[in-house]
Amino acid sequence: MRTELLFATNNANKLREAREILEPLGFDIISMKEAGVQIEPDETGDTFVRNAEIKACDVFNELDIRMPVIADDSGLCVKALGGRPGVYSARYAPEGERCAKLLEEMKDVPKGERDAYFECAIVYVDKYVCESFTGRCEGEIGFEERGENGFGYDPVFVRDGRTLAEMSAEEKNAISHRGAAMEKLVAYLRESYGV
Ligand code: ITT
């Protein structure tokens, strides 16, 4: 038996990755468009978990027919920048300009001091239930954009010598913050509901 989850995101790349990760495990991921929901929740929280809660709850409350909802809030935290852009990763610069702006800001930071990590909070909401799961992916910021895959900051995020944008979808999902958080979500759903 398959389990349906509505993914409260307006980011097509997150939707694709959620499907890659969760569909082989027996979950069908419904998009907001498919559910007929069209909202842009106000991400007023100052943590990834809080913003994911806001997105999941806002969308859950819009549904005519109830179904479990998940939301993802994620971002890149750079040590040399005191953790920025963090929860503001989507607002740091327009899509397509984020990597260049980050490389410019990091241009004087030497190799060895460019540690960074991606963080992802997944929140699961159903009637009477709100649970959060987090995952992290450690790496460093490169000196140039490399690779064509992935999205967002993937072309400048280096892990074991390659950027996430140089990895296949399977390779990225196996080590990513999103993959790690979703693995915990799946363990929870299996344990609590036997799905
Ligand atoms: P929704 O809120 O609709 O889900 P969003 O893109 O606005 O979509 P966030 O507020 O969580 O999502 O912003 C996260 C940003 O962090 C995202 O737009 C990317 O720029 C970046 N990001 C998150 N996960 C990433 C990943 O796996 N690879 C590269 N960049 C990522």
Side-chain angles (χ1 to χ4, degrees):
M1 210 194 72
R2 297 185 66 83
T3 304
E4 288 194 336
L5 298 173
L6 169 48
F7 191 7
T9 183
N10 289 304
N11 182 320
N13 287 296
K14 286 186 183 177
L15 185 66
R16 172 181 53 76
E17 290 188 358
R19 286 184 164 144
E20 288 163 359
I21 295 165
L22 294 172
E23 290 198 343
L25 300 175
F27 298 89
D28 286 328
I29 307 305
I30 315 296
S31 67
M32 298 221 294
K33 196 171 170 200
E34 286 162 340
V37 181
Q38 223 186 349
I39 58 167
E40 290 249 1
D42 245 349
E43 297 181 31
T44 51
D46 55 11
T47 64
F48 295 111
V49 170
R50 181 66 198 124
N51 280 331
E53 272 171 8
I54 291 170
K55 291 186 250 192
C57 292
D58 281 7
V59 169
F60 187 77
N61 289 330
E62 284 288 312
L63 296 178
D64 296 328
I65 301 168
R66 297 285 184 215
M67 73 164 89
V69 172
I70 57 170
D72 164 317
D73 198 69
S74 44
L76 178 68
C77 303
V78 181
K79 195 170 166 193
L81 303 180
R84 283 193 303 110
V87 293
Y88 300 105
S89 292
R91 289 164 270 183
Y92 178 66
E95 176 80 56
E97 294 172 30
R98 288 175 199 155
C99 289
K101 180 174 171 186
L102 182 63
L103 290 177
E104 173 63 22
E105 226 192 318
M106 294 283 290
K107 69 179 190 305
D108 296 327
V109 179
K111 182 141 187 66
E113 293 175 27
R114 300 174 70 90
D115 293 0
Y117 62 86
F118 276 116
E119 178 94 8
C120 174
I122 299 285
V123 164
Y124 170 89
V125 169
D126 202 355
K127 214 173 168 188
Y128 310 124
V129 181
C130 178
E131 294 282 341
S132 61
F133 310 90
T134 59
R136 197 173 268 203
C137 178
E138 308 264 2
E140 60 188 336
I141 304 303
F143 288 89
E144 65 198 353
E145 295 186 41
R146 287 193 336 237
E148 303 297 327
N149 302 329
F151 69 101
Y153 299 91
D154 284 346
V156 295
F157 188 88
V158 179
R159 167 94 171 207
D160 298 330
R162 279 189 304 158
T163 69
L164 293 187
E166 291 178 302
M167 297 182 188
S168 67
E170 295 72 37
E171 287 175 312
K172 178 185 170 184
N173 294 336
I175 58 159
S176 79
H177 46 311
R178 187 159 296 106
M182 289 199 170
E183 196 175 309
K184 293 180 191 169
L185 165 71
V186 170
Y188 162 79
L189 293 174
R190 295 223 193 290
E191 197 174 311
S192 307
Y193 304 101
V195 296

